Amino acid sequence: MGATSGIGREVAVLLLQNGYNVAVAGRREELLQQLVAEYDAITQYKVIDINAEDAPHKLNELINSMGGIDLYFHSSGIGYQNPNLDIDKEMRTVETNAMGFARIINNVYHYFEKKGSGHIAAITSIAGTKGLGAAPAYSATKRFQNTYIEALSQLASMKGVDVTFTDIRPGFVATDLLGDNAVYPMKMEKNYVARKVVKAVLRRRKVVIVDWRYAILVFFWRLVPRCIWTKMKIVSKKD
């Protein structure tokens, strides 16, 4: 899900190269068609907007057209630097990263619960570690995603359901998501990140931070007391 661009597209191609039978989904049909045309082995695609009420139904149709799935990979999301708290940006972020995320992950969990096993992997972010003043809704919804995955993992264990979860938390990646004219520290290329992501998925890792530099950064972020954190100025520079 979210295979039209960025990490999602790169991961779809890498999974294909690793022998997976891959189907792709996203909002932009033209980009999905381009991907299918470029890679003949990708024979199934579906236009799905995770914010639409019929998104679970459309995803189930795609799953059924494949004869079932073993791995679901979620790479749909939006985000903004929004220090001025533009409410439209905040609400779009909440709608996609929280409501849309829960709508789809919930549906896939039920599918794997009924099937008896499965693997759910999702791109979240290191932004869920702390509340970032420059991106309130983004950091809050990424924390939501981290917690939702953790909670479902515990629920699966409580119910004895064999569902594996992989929470993938990248730092800044050079994709369309960062197309707001900002300069980000330690920005990574999407091909590099996708390789790290697929490696983590194939190893069925529970939580992975991409890459080691951000793992160190997050370690120290967690040590900063709230009273100090809220007084820190964490911003990116404009070109």
Side-chain angles (χ1 to χ4, degrees), residues 23 44 56-69 111 114:
Q44 302 279 350
H57 174 70
K58 288 186 175 180
L59 179 57
N60 289 339
E61 287 183 336
L62 181 58
I63 291 172
N64 291 335
S65 72
M66 296 183 68
I69 61 172
Y111 168 77
K114 183 177 180 180

Side-chain angles (χ1 to χ4, degrees), residues 130 222-232:
K130 291 278 192 178
R222 288 173 174 154
L223 297 179
V224 179
R226 180 186 180 93
C227 61
I228 296 177
W229 178 266
T230 55
K231 297 182 183 300
M232 295 174 64

